[in-house]
Every structure is written in C-alpha cells, then in structure tokens.
Amino acid sequence: MEIQLWRKILDPYKQAVEELTVKFNYIKKEYQDGGMYSPIEQVTGRVKKISSIMEKAQRKGVNLDDIKNIEAKVEDIAGIRIICQFEEDIETVVEIIRKRTDLEIKLEKDYINFPKKSGYRSYHIIAYYTVETVDGAKKLEVELQIRTLAMNFWSTIEHSLQYKYKGNIPEEIRERLLRAANAVGALDGEMSSVRDEIMDAQNVNREMARIVSDILSNIENLYRLANKREIIKIQNEFFKIYSSGDIELLEEFGEQLDVLAENYKAQSYGD
Ligand code: 0O2
C-alpha cells in the first residue's frame, strides 16, 4: 500500500489518541481541582509506526493489502497509556473506563494477575471509540494500557532491550529481567502497604498549596485596596503562621482574610 494511503488511514487514529489523551488528563484535573487524590498520574498516547503495524500484521498472517483486516487484527494502532502511582489505582481507572459512554469495551487482558512469560505486567483494554471526521463518523479500536509507575519503568527498559536484540534477548538477560519484574512486583506491594500514609501526606501538601495560593491572591488584591501598614501586618502574620506549618491555623487565617477582602471589595464598590 502507498505511504500516502497509510497516512489517510492513520489520521483518525491520531485524532482518537489526541482526544482520549485530553479526556483522561481532564479526569486527573477534575480529581485535583476537587482537592482529591487522582488515581491517574500520567497519560501518554501514540499512533503505532507504519513499520510496526506492517510487522504485526505479517506476524498475525494478514495480507498487507487487506487494510480492513489489518485494522481489525492490529488492535493497538491507537494506544493510550495511563500511569498510576499504586496498583490499587489500576482497578479504579478500569472502573472509570468501563463506565464511560464514549468507549465500548471489546476485551480486557489482565497481565497483572496473569503476567506474561517475559515478566510483563499491565492491564490492557481494547475498546471501540468513534471519531467524527469530515468524511463522517469512524469507529476505531484503541488499546488502553493501565499500569503503575514501577511497571512502566520495567516495561520501558525491557521494550528497548527487545528492540536492541530484535526480539531475541539472550537467556541470561531474560532471567535478570524476570528477576527485576519480581522486584517490581514486590516494590508495588510495599508501596501499597504505605499507600494510605503517602496519600495522606500528598493530600496535606495539596491542601496546604491551595490555602497558601488563596491567601497570596487575597494579599495581592488587598495591596490595591487596604493601607500599607495594615498589609504589612497581615503579611507578617501570614509568614509567622506559615513557618509554624500548622495547617488548621493557616486555614483559619485564610478564612479571616477572605472576610476582610470581601469587606474591602464591598467598600470599594460603594465608593
Ligand atoms: P509497541 O511498540 O508497544 O507498539 P496478542 O494478539 O494478544 O497475542 P498483541 O496484539 O501483541 O498479542 O497484544 P498484547 O500482547 O496485549 O501486547 C500489546 C502491547 O503490549 C505491545 O505492543 C506492548 O506495548 C505491550 N507488551 C506486551 N507484551 C509485552 C512484553 O513482554 N514486554 C513489553 N515491554 N511490552 C509488552 P507491541 O506491538 O509489542 O509494540
């Protein structure tokens, strides 16, 4: 098939990858804006290279002229990777995907409870997704890979070794990779056991950042409305409470500042 035709075929897949990357990043943002822990840490996407599509199609015994069959058999032309901090988050993300109305699940592959012989661990979902193009709607297959940071680290290294050794990784390296995969499994287990504490610490940090940012924008607004002496007093009070690290005191201070800022605004409107 001509390269030009390939490009035309791949365009909707590119659109699907771009749209889904935005959508999953928005889920992360929604959690964070609501002051909640996000099960999604990072989202990436890619359209498979033409050479990889051809290689996979050949491996699956598909004629390279039979584009419909290639699209049906090579399920990961459009790939989205969702990275989570903890193994527990994977199930949450899978549930989110199962409930979406814009994704219709074709099949799920659980390489977490059933790792591959290589040691590869990840959760895969093949789903149908429709993109609107100038030629009308096109229903495509996309592959969603959901995995932890640690699983992603392992698979990235292993993938580049597969590439280096053209799929024939020497036995000794393969064994080491398998040992490393077990270590990654143990690491995820350890991280899960301290998950609640890590999440609490992250929530406190996020909450602190939100309160500080509100206080600073209030102080900035008050600069225009209140007198300098009062502002300096407020600022010093803020620095004192901030250095104490007491989040409750900081919250209380922030609320008082909100009231003060509102009063000044009301006064200035009344002028
Ligand atoms: P790339 O470069 O990531 O695009 P199947 O038809 O189910 O037998 P298929 O279609 O290969 O086999 O599906 P599978 O096994 O679910 O794998 C799809 C993708 O998962 C792969 O894409 C890899 O990204 C990843 N993957 C699967 N197994 C391994 C593994 O052992 N190591 C690593 N690092 N990644 C793996 P591609 O096509 O390999 O390429």
Side-chain angles (χ1 to χ4, degrees):
M1 181 177 319
E2 290 159 40
I3 298 295
Q4 245 349 79
L5 277 178
W6 268 113
R7 292 210 197 294
K8 182 128 183 62
I9 286 155
L10 294 185
D11 270 350
Y13 287 92
K14 201 169 155 212
Q15 189 179 332
V17 167
E18 282 176 17
E19 287 180 11
L20 284 167
T21 307
V22 168
K23 287 180 179 185
F24 282 106
N25 269 318
Y26 253 87
I27 297 176
K28 177 181 174 183
K29 190 175 175 306
E30 262 187 77
Y31 274 101
Q32 290 180 335
D33 287 352
M36 288 177 290
Y37 167 80
S38 167
I40 296 175
E41 174 64 16
Q42 197 189 319
V43 186
T44 57
R46 64 101 183 92
V47 174
K48 212 174 178 67
K49 287 197 208 106
I50 299 173
S51 56
S52 301
I53 298 174
M54 287 165 70
E55 185 265 317
K56 199 163 190 169
Q58 251 172 345
R59 185 154 42 89
K60 287 179 180 268
V62 183
N63 189 326
L64 292 181
D65 280 335
D66 188 354
I67 192 67
K68 281 272 157 293
N69 210 6
I70 293 179
E71 285 188 275
K73 294 279 167 51
V74 182
E75 294 162 320
D76 64 340
I77 296 179
I80 301 290
R81 189 167 291 162
I82 302 172
I83 313 285
C84 310
Q85 294 194 59
F86 302 101
E87 209 170 307
E88 287 83 348
D89 301 332
I90 296 176
E91 189 52 38
T92 312
V93 173
V94 169
E95 275 306 319
I96 290 173
I97 294 170
R98 286 186 187 136
K99 285 190 191 126
R100 289 191 72 95
T101 53
D102 55 353
L103 286 166
E104 182 197 328
I105 295 181
K106 178 185 175 189
L107 70 112
E108 298 186 20
K109 301 180 191 177
D110 182 359
Y111 297 132
I112 295 190
N113 289 310
F114 307 97
K116 284 201 158 188
K117 233 173 62 207
S118 60
Y120 177 75
R121 292 172 76 232
S122 183
Y123 199 93
H124 291 191
I125 294 180
I126 312 292
Y128 298 106
Y129 179 76
T130 303
V131 288
E132 296 291 337
T133 74
V134 282
D135 300 323
K138 186 160 166 59
K139 190 170 169 179
L140 311 166
E141 284 185 21
V142 296
E143 183 190 69
L144 301 127
Q145 299 183 340
I146 308 122
R147 52 171 80 152
T148 62
L149 286 159
M151 291 172 195
N152 192 49
F153 170 67
W154 182 92
S155 75
T156 305
I157 305 283
E158 198 260 2
H159 195 273
S160 48
L161 285 171
Q162 290 278 10
Y163 188 76
K164 178 177 171 189
Y165 291 105
K166 298 185 176 61
N168 292 311
I169 299 183
E171 187 57 29
E172 191 226 327
I173 298 180
R174 223 179 307 161
E175 275 170 21
R176 281 202 211 174
L177 282 167
L178 205 51
R179 281 204 293 277
N182 290 335
V184 162
L187 172 67
D188 271 331
E190 283 295 323
M191 295 309 277
S192 288
S193 69
V194 289
R195 179 176 185 259
D196 287 347
E197 266 165 63
I198 296 173
M199 276 176 61
D200 277 353
Q202 287 177 347
N203 282 337
V204 169
N205 285 344
R206 210 171 297 120
E207 186 59 4
M208 189 84 156
R210 186 191 62 77
I211 297 169
V212 168
S213 141
D214 285 353
I215 290 175
L216 290 179
S217 66
N218 264 335
I219 292 179
E220 200 181 317
N221 289 333
L222 283 169
Y223 256 107
R224 287 193 292 269
L225 306 166
N227 73 53
K228 264 234 161 61
R229 280 242 303 274
E230 193 173 1
I231 289 293
I232 289 171
K233 224 175 91 194
I234 291 170
Q235 230 169 243
N236 289 342
E237 180 70 7
F238 164 62
F239 290 145
K240 210 170 84 194
I241 299 175
Y242 181 77
S243 328
S244 77
D246 188 330
I247 189 161
E248 276 169 26
L249 265 184
L250 204 62
E251 200 163 13
E252 217 172 280
F253 178 76
E255 281 163 10
Q256 287 165 4
L257 207 58
D258 271 344
V259 175
L260 189 72
E262 274 306 312
N263 283 344
Y264 267 107
K265 236 188 276 167
Q267 271 175 23
S268 68
Y269 287 148
D271 283 347

PDB file of all heavy atoms in Angstrom, residues 46 48 56 59-60 76 81 109 111 116 118 120 124 143 145 154-155 158-159, ligand 1:
ATOM      1  N   ARG A  46       0.087   7.303  21.676  1.00  0.00           N
ATOM      2  CA  ARG A  46       0.882   7.261  20.447  1.00  0.00           C
ATOM      3  C   ARG A  46       0.107   6.502  19.363  1.00  0.00           C
ATOM      4  O   ARG A  46      -0.758   5.675  19.662  1.00  0.00           O
ATOM      5  CB  ARG A  46       2.237   6.595  20.690  1.00  0.00           C
ATOM      6  CG  ARG A  46       2.177   5.102  21.090  1.00  0.00           C
ATOM      7  CD  ARG A  46       2.476   4.216  19.911  1.00  0.00           C
ATOM      8  NE  ARG A  46       2.370   2.792  20.176  1.00  0.00           N
ATOM      9  CZ  ARG A  46       1.279   2.085  20.000  1.00  0.00           C
ATOM     10  NH1 ARG A  46       0.161   2.650  19.595  1.00  0.00           N
ATOM     11  NH2 ARG A  46       1.274   0.781  20.221  1.00  0.00           N
ATOM     12  N   LYS A  48       0.771   3.880  16.387  1.00  0.00           N
ATOM     13  CA  LYS A  48       1.813   2.903  16.034  1.00  0.00           C
ATOM     14  C   LYS A  48       2.472   3.279  14.713  1.00  0.00           C
ATOM     15  O   LYS A  48       1.795   3.750  13.795  1.00  0.00           O
ATOM     16  CB  LYS A  48       1.145   1.536  15.904  1.00  0.00           C
ATOM     17  CG  LYS A  48       1.995   0.356  16.297  1.00  0.00           C
ATOM     18  CD  LYS A  48       1.139  -0.902  16.243  1.00  0.00           C
ATOM     19  CE  LYS A  48       1.945  -2.135  16.578  1.00  0.00           C
ATOM     20  NZ  LYS A  48       2.404  -2.164  17.952  1.00  0.00           N
ATOM     21  N   LYS A  56       3.469  -6.320  12.645  1.00  0.00           N
ATOM     22  CA  LYS A  56       2.495  -7.050  13.463  1.00  0.00           C
ATOM     23  C   LYS A  56       1.462  -7.760  12.584  1.00  0.00           C
ATOM     24  O   LYS A  56       1.071  -8.896  12.867  1.00  0.00           O
ATOM     25  CB  LYS A  56       1.797  -6.087  14.428  1.00  0.00           C
ATOM     26  CG  LYS A  56       1.137  -6.784  15.600  1.00  0.00           C
ATOM     27  CD  LYS A  56       0.849  -5.799  16.705  1.00  0.00           C
ATOM     28  CE  LYS A  56       0.424  -6.475  17.967  1.00  0.00           C
ATOM     29  NZ  LYS A  56       0.394  -5.568  19.101  1.00  0.00           N
ATOM     30  N   ARG A  59       2.972 -10.807  11.234  1.00  0.00           N
ATOM     31  CA  ARG A  59       3.069 -11.817  12.300  1.00  0.00           C
ATOM     32  C   ARG A  59       1.724 -12.503  12.521  1.00  0.00           C
ATOM     33  O   ARG A  59       1.661 -13.686  12.844  1.00  0.00           O
ATOM     34  CB  ARG A  59       3.557 -11.120  13.583  1.00  0.00           C
ATOM     35  CG  ARG A  59       3.822 -12.054  14.722  1.00  0.00           C
ATOM     36  CD  ARG A  59       4.855 -11.504  15.707  1.00  0.00           C
ATOM     37  NE  ARG A  59       4.727 -10.100  16.036  1.00  0.00           N
ATOM     38  CZ  ARG A  59       3.979  -9.621  17.031  1.00  0.00           C
ATOM     39  NH1 ARG A  59       3.256 -10.451  17.757  1.00  0.00           N
ATOM     40  NH2 ARG A  59       3.953  -8.335  17.294  1.00  0.00           N
ATOM     41  N   LYS A  60       0.634 -11.746  12.302  1.00  0.00           N
ATOM     42  CA  LYS A  60      -0.690 -12.311  12.522  1.00  0.00           C
ATOM     43  C   LYS A  60      -1.260 -12.934  11.242  1.00  0.00           C
ATOM     44  O   LYS A  60      -2.440 -13.280  11.176  1.00  0.00           O
ATOM     45  CB  LYS A  60      -1.635 -11.236  13.060  1.00  0.00           C
ATOM     46  CG  LYS A  60      -1.303 -10.890  14.519  1.00  0.00           C
ATOM     47  CD  LYS A  60      -2.198  -9.806  15.066  1.00  0.00           C
ATOM     48  CE  LYS A  60      -1.839  -9.481  16.497  1.00  0.00           C
ATOM     49  NZ  LYS A  60      -2.594 -10.238  17.485  1.00  0.00           N
ATOM     50  N   ASP A  76      -3.820  -2.331  18.431  1.00  0.00           N
ATOM     51  CA  ASP A  76      -3.182  -1.212  19.146  1.00  0.00           C
ATOM     52  C   ASP A  76      -2.594  -0.161  18.198  1.00  0.00           C
ATOM     53  O   ASP A  76      -1.560   0.427  18.497  1.00  0.00           O
ATOM     54  CB  ASP A  76      -2.115  -1.723  20.121  1.00  0.00           C
ATOM     55  CG  ASP A  76      -0.956  -2.409  19.421  1.00  0.00           C
ATOM     56  OD1 ASP A  76      -1.127  -2.828  18.259  1.00  0.00           O
ATOM     57  OD2 ASP A  76       0.120  -2.529  20.027  1.00  0.00           O
ATOM     58  N   ARG A  81      -1.686   5.209  27.150  1.00  0.00           N
ATOM     59  CA  ARG A  81      -1.087   4.610  28.349  1.00  0.00           C
ATOM     60  C   ARG A  81      -1.430   5.466  29.557  1.00  0.00           C
ATOM     61  O   ARG A  81      -1.185   6.680  29.557  1.00  0.00           O
ATOM     62  CB  ARG A  81       0.426   4.516  28.161  1.00  0.00           C
ATOM     63  CG  ARG A  81       1.097   3.719  29.233  1.00  0.00           C
ATOM     64  CD  ARG A  81       2.513   3.382  28.852  1.00  0.00           C
ATOM     65  NE  ARG A  81       2.572   2.428  27.759  1.00  0.00           N
ATOM     66  CZ  ARG A  81       3.651   2.226  26.999  1.00  0.00           C
ATOM     67  NH1 ARG A  81       4.739   2.935  27.207  1.00  0.00           N
ATOM     68  NH2 ARG A  81       3.629   1.329  26.037  1.00  0.00           N
ATOM     69  N   LYS A 109      -7.441  -7.547  29.000  1.00  0.00           N
ATOM     70  CA  LYS A 109      -6.360  -8.520  29.212  1.00  0.00           C
ATOM     71  C   LYS A 109      -5.682  -8.181  30.532  1.00  0.00           C
ATOM     72  O   LYS A 109      -5.119  -7.097  30.672  1.00  0.00           O
ATOM     73  CB  LYS A 109      -5.329  -8.441  28.082  1.00  0.00           C
ATOM     74  CG  LYS A 109      -5.889  -8.706  26.687  1.00  0.00           C
ATOM     75  CD  LYS A 109      -4.755  -8.581  25.675  1.00  0.00           C
ATOM     76  CE  LYS A 109      -5.270  -8.562  24.256  1.00  0.00           C
ATOM     77  NZ  LYS A 109      -4.185  -8.363  23.274  1.00  0.00           N
ATOM     78  N   TYR A 111      -2.837  -8.676  32.536  1.00  0.00           N
ATOM     79  CA  TYR A 111      -1.456  -9.160  32.687  1.00  0.00           C
ATOM     80  C   TYR A 111      -0.898  -8.794  34.053  1.00  0.00           C
ATOM     81  O   TYR A 111       0.313  -8.846  34.264  1.00  0.00           O
ATOM     82  CB  TYR A 111      -0.560  -8.546  31.596  1.00  0.00           C
ATOM     83  CG  TYR A 111      -0.932  -8.915  30.174  1.00  0.00           C
ATOM     84  CD1 TYR A 111      -1.030  -7.929  29.188  1.00  0.00           C
ATOM     85  CD2 TYR A 111      -1.176 -10.232  29.810  1.00  0.00           C
ATOM     86  CE1 TYR A 111      -1.365  -8.246  27.880  1.00  0.00           C
ATOM     87  CE2 TYR A 111      -1.510 -10.561  28.496  1.00  0.00           C
ATOM     88  CZ  TYR A 111      -1.602  -9.565  27.545  1.00  0.00           C
ATOM     89  OH  TYR A 111      -1.928  -9.890  26.259  1.00  0.00           O
ATOM     90  N   LYS A 116       2.859 -11.915  31.747  1.00  0.00           N
ATOM     91  CA  LYS A 116       3.369 -12.639  30.576  1.00  0.00           C
ATOM     92  C   LYS A 116       4.642 -13.405  30.966  1.00  0.00           C
ATOM     93  O   LYS A 116       5.247 -13.117  31.989  1.00  0.00           O
ATOM     94  CB  LYS A 116       3.678 -11.649  29.464  1.00  0.00           C
ATOM     95  CG  LYS A 116       2.424 -11.146  28.774  1.00  0.00           C
ATOM     96  CD  LYS A 116       2.779 -10.604  27.424  1.00  0.00           C
ATOM     97  CE  LYS A 116       1.588 -10.598  26.511  1.00  0.00           C
ATOM     98  NZ  LYS A 116       1.933 -10.250  25.152  1.00  0.00           N
ATOM     99  N   SER A 118       7.498 -13.142  29.875  1.00  0.00           N
ATOM    100  CA  SER A 118       8.642 -12.219  29.987  1.00  0.00           C
ATOM    101  C   SER A 118       8.728 -11.564  31.359  1.00  0.00           C
ATOM    102  O   SER A 118       9.773 -11.045  31.756  1.00  0.00           O
ATOM    103  CB  SER A 118       8.497 -11.113  28.932  1.00  0.00           C
ATOM    104  OG  SER A 118       7.283 -10.396  29.130  1.00  0.00           O
ATOM    105  N   TYR A 120       6.226  -9.308  31.985  1.00  0.00           N
ATOM    106  CA  TYR A 120       5.453  -8.088  31.699  1.00  0.00           C
ATOM    107  C   TYR A 120       4.156  -8.042  32.495  1.00  0.00           C
ATOM    108  O   TYR A 120       3.396  -9.011  32.503  1.00  0.00           O
ATOM    109  CB  TYR A 120       5.146  -8.040  30.200  1.00  0.00           C
ATOM    110  CG  TYR A 120       4.285  -6.880  29.757  1.00  0.00           C
ATOM    111  CD1 TYR A 120       4.818  -5.599  29.659  1.00  0.00           C
ATOM    112  CD2 TYR A 120       2.940  -7.064  29.419  1.00  0.00           C
ATOM    113  CE1 TYR A 120       4.034  -4.538  29.245  1.00  0.00           C
ATOM    114  CE2 TYR A 120       2.152  -6.010  28.997  1.00  0.00           C
ATOM    115  CZ  TYR A 120       2.706  -4.748  28.909  1.00  0.00           C
ATOM    116  OH  TYR A 120       1.929  -3.699  28.495  1.00  0.00           O
ATOM    117  N   HIS A 124      -4.635  -4.323  30.123  1.00  0.00           N
ATOM    118  CA  HIS A 124      -4.974  -3.810  28.790  1.00  0.00           C
ATOM    119  C   HIS A 124      -6.474  -3.867  28.546  1.00  0.00           C
ATOM    120  O   HIS A 124      -7.131  -4.847  28.913  1.00  0.00           O
ATOM    121  CB  HIS A 124      -4.306  -4.659  27.690  1.00  0.00           C
ATOM    122  CG  HIS A 124      -2.819  -4.514  27.644  1.00  0.00           C
ATOM    123  ND1 HIS A 124      -2.059  -4.997  26.612  1.00  0.00           N
ATOM    124  CD2 HIS A 124      -1.942  -3.933  28.499  1.00  0.00           C
ATOM    125  CE1 HIS A 124      -0.780  -4.720  26.834  1.00  0.00           C
ATOM    126  NE2 HIS A 124      -0.693  -4.083  27.990  1.00  0.00           N
ATOM    127  N   GLU A 143      -6.224   0.758  22.094  1.00  0.00           N
ATOM    128  CA  GLU A 143      -5.731  -0.056  23.202  1.00  0.00           C
ATOM    129  C   GLU A 143      -5.358   0.858  24.361  1.00  0.00           C
ATOM    130  O   GLU A 143      -4.596   1.809  24.189  1.00  0.00           O
ATOM    131  CB  GLU A 143      -4.507  -0.874  22.791  1.00  0.00           C
ATOM    132  CG  GLU A 143      -4.025  -1.777  23.928  1.00  0.00           C
ATOM    133  CD  GLU A 143      -2.671  -2.423  23.645  1.00  0.00           C
ATOM    134  OE1 GLU A 143      -1.656  -1.690  23.616  1.00  0.00           O
ATOM    135  OE2 GLU A 143      -2.635  -3.636  23.450  1.00  0.00           O
ATOM    136  N   GLN A 145      -3.536   0.932  27.928  1.00  0.00           N
ATOM    137  CA  GLN A 145      -2.653   0.180  28.831  1.00  0.00           C
ATOM    138  C   GLN A 145      -2.639   0.915  30.166  1.00  0.00           C
ATOM    139  O   GLN A 145      -2.306   2.095  30.221  1.00  0.00           O
ATOM    140  CB  GLN A 145      -1.222   0.126  28.280  1.00  0.00           C
ATOM    141  CG  GLN A 145      -1.114  -0.567  26.932  1.00  0.00           C
ATOM    142  CD  GLN A 145       0.334  -0.681  26.449  1.00  0.00           C
ATOM    143  OE1 GLN A 145       1.214   0.043  26.910  1.00  0.00           O
ATOM    144  NE2 GLN A 145       0.580  -1.581  25.522  1.00  0.00           N
ATOM    145  N   TRP A 154       9.796  -0.863  34.244  1.00  0.00           N
ATOM    146  CA  TRP A 154      10.292  -2.172  33.792  1.00  0.00           C
ATOM    147  C   TRP A 154      10.011  -2.366  32.305  1.00  0.00           C
ATOM    148  O   TRP A 154      10.895  -2.746  31.540  1.00  0.00           O
ATOM    149  CB  TRP A 154       9.625  -3.296  34.607  1.00  0.00           C
ATOM    150  CG  TRP A 154      10.118  -4.665  34.221  1.00  0.00           C
ATOM    151  CD1 TRP A 154      11.154  -5.343  34.790  1.00  0.00           C
ATOM    152  CD2 TRP A 154       9.632  -5.496  33.153  1.00  0.00           C
ATOM    153  NE1 TRP A 154      11.342  -6.550  34.150  1.00  0.00           N
ATOM    154  CE2 TRP A 154      10.428  -6.670  33.153  1.00  0.00           C
ATOM    155  CE3 TRP A 154       8.613  -5.372  32.216  1.00  0.00           C
ATOM    156  CZ2 TRP A 154      10.218  -7.704  32.233  1.00  0.00           C
ATOM    157  CZ3 TRP A 154       8.421  -6.398  31.295  1.00  0.00           C
ATOM    158  CH2 TRP A 154       9.213  -7.552  31.309  1.00  0.00           C
ATOM    159  N   SER A 155       8.770  -2.098  31.890  1.00  0.00           N
ATOM    160  CA  SER A 155       8.418  -2.432  30.502  1.00  0.00           C
ATOM    161  C   SER A 155       9.132  -1.526  29.495  1.00  0.00           C
ATOM    162  O   SER A 155       9.429  -1.957  28.383  1.00  0.00           O
ATOM    163  CB  SER A 155       6.903  -2.443  30.288  1.00  0.00           C
ATOM    164  OG  SER A 155       6.424  -1.167  30.238  1.00  0.00           O
ATOM    165  N   GLU A 158      12.584  -3.081  29.236  1.00  0.00           N
ATOM    166  CA  GLU A 158      12.504  -4.368  28.532  1.00  0.00           C
ATOM    167  C   GLU A 158      12.204  -4.162  27.057  1.00  0.00           C
ATOM    168  O   GLU A 158      12.753  -4.844  26.199  1.00  0.00           O
ATOM    169  CB  GLU A 158      11.435  -5.235  29.214  1.00  0.00           C
ATOM    170  CG  GLU A 158      11.547  -6.700  28.894  1.00  0.00           C
ATOM    171  CD  GLU A 158      10.585  -7.158  27.824  1.00  0.00           C
ATOM    172  OE1 GLU A 158       9.827  -6.315  27.272  1.00  0.00           O
ATOM    173  OE2 GLU A 158      10.590  -8.340  27.513  1.00  0.00           O
ATOM    174  N   HIS A 159      11.337  -3.179  26.773  1.00  0.00           N
ATOM    175  CA  HIS A 159      10.957  -2.903  25.383  1.00  0.00           C
ATOM    176  C   HIS A 159      12.178  -2.448  24.590  1.00  0.00           C
ATOM    177  O   HIS A 159      12.386  -2.899  23.459  1.00  0.00           O
ATOM    178  CB  HIS A 159       9.867  -1.823  25.358  1.00  0.00           C
ATOM    179  CG  HIS A 159       9.169  -1.716  24.041  1.00  0.00           C
ATOM    180  ND1 HIS A 159       9.647  -0.933  23.029  1.00  0.00           N
ATOM    181  CD2 HIS A 159       8.047  -2.305  23.575  1.00  0.00           C
ATOM    182  CE1 HIS A 159       8.836  -1.040  21.987  1.00  0.00           C
ATOM    183  NE2 HIS A 159       7.855  -1.873  22.296  1.00  0.00           N
TER     184      HIS A 159
HETATM  185  P1  0O2 B   1       4.590  -1.300  20.641  1.00  0.00           P
HETATM  186  O1  0O2 B   1       5.960  -0.915  20.241  1.00  0.00           O
HETATM  187  O2  0O2 B   1       4.354  -1.128  22.097  1.00  0.00           O
HETATM  188  O3  0O2 B   1       3.553  -0.671  19.792  1.00  0.00           O
HETATM  189  P2  0O2 B   1      -1.991 -10.991  21.082  1.00  0.00           P
HETATM  190  O4  0O2 B   1      -2.661 -10.757  19.792  1.00  0.00           O
HETATM  191  O5  0O2 B   1      -2.859 -10.706  22.273  1.00  0.00           O
HETATM  192  O6  0O2 B   1      -1.281 -12.287  21.200  1.00  0.00           O
HETATM  193  P3  0O2 B   1      -0.681  -8.450  20.953  1.00  0.00           P
HETATM  194  O7  0O2 B   1      -1.626  -7.966  19.922  1.00  0.00           O
HETATM  195  O8  0O2 B   1       0.757  -8.107  20.768  1.00  0.00           O
HETATM  196  O9  0O2 B   1      -0.750 -10.001  21.138  1.00  0.00           O
HETATM  197  O10 0O2 B   1      -1.224  -7.886  22.300  1.00  0.00           O
HETATM  198  P4  0O2 B   1      -0.506  -7.780  23.693  1.00  0.00           P
HETATM  199  O11 0O2 B   1       0.289  -8.973  23.997  1.00  0.00           O
HETATM  200  O12 0O2 B   1      -1.594  -7.429  24.627  1.00  0.00           O
HETATM  201  O13 0O2 B   1       0.555  -6.586  23.511  1.00  0.00           O
HETATM  202  C1  0O2 B   1       0.220  -5.329  23.076  1.00  0.00           C
HETATM  203  C2  0O2 B   1       1.252  -4.349  23.584  1.00  0.00           C
HETATM  204  O14 0O2 B   1       1.504  -4.581  24.966  1.00  0.00           O
HETATM  205  C3  0O2 B   1       2.621  -4.445  22.950  1.00  0.00           C
HETATM  206  O15 0O2 B   1       2.671  -3.739  21.765  1.00  0.00           O
HETATM  207  C4  0O2 B   1       3.488  -3.795  24.013  1.00  0.00           C
HETATM  208  O16 0O2 B   1       3.324  -2.379  24.027  1.00  0.00           O
HETATM  209  C5  0O2 B   1       2.873  -4.337  25.274  1.00  0.00           C
HETATM  210  N1  0O2 B   1       3.524  -5.605  25.629  1.00  0.00           N
HETATM  211  C6  0O2 B   1       3.007  -6.846  25.530  1.00  0.00           C
HETATM  212  N2  0O2 B   1       3.876  -7.758  25.952  1.00  0.00           N
HETATM  213  C7  0O2 B   1       4.991  -7.098  26.336  1.00  0.00           C
HETATM  214  C8  0O2 B   1       6.258  -7.507  26.900  1.00  0.00           C
HETATM  215  O17 0O2 B   1       6.535  -8.679  27.128  1.00  0.00           O
HETATM  216  N3  0O2 B   1       7.156  -6.502  27.165  1.00  0.00           N
HETATM  217  C9  0O2 B   1       6.892  -5.197  26.939  1.00  0.00           C
HETATM  218  N4  0O2 B   1       7.827  -4.292  27.232  1.00  0.00           N
HETATM  219  N5  0O2 B   1       5.710  -4.784  26.402  1.00  0.00           N
HETATM  220  C10 0O2 B   1       4.769  -5.730  26.122  1.00  0.00           C
HETATM  221  P5  0O2 B   1       3.772  -4.084  20.634  1.00  0.00           P
HETATM  222  O18 0O2 B   1       3.051  -4.484  19.418  1.00  0.00           O
HETATM  223  O19 0O2 B   1       4.753  -5.047  21.172  1.00  0.00           O
HETATM  224  O20 0O2 B   1       4.561  -2.823  20.279  1.00  0.00           O
END
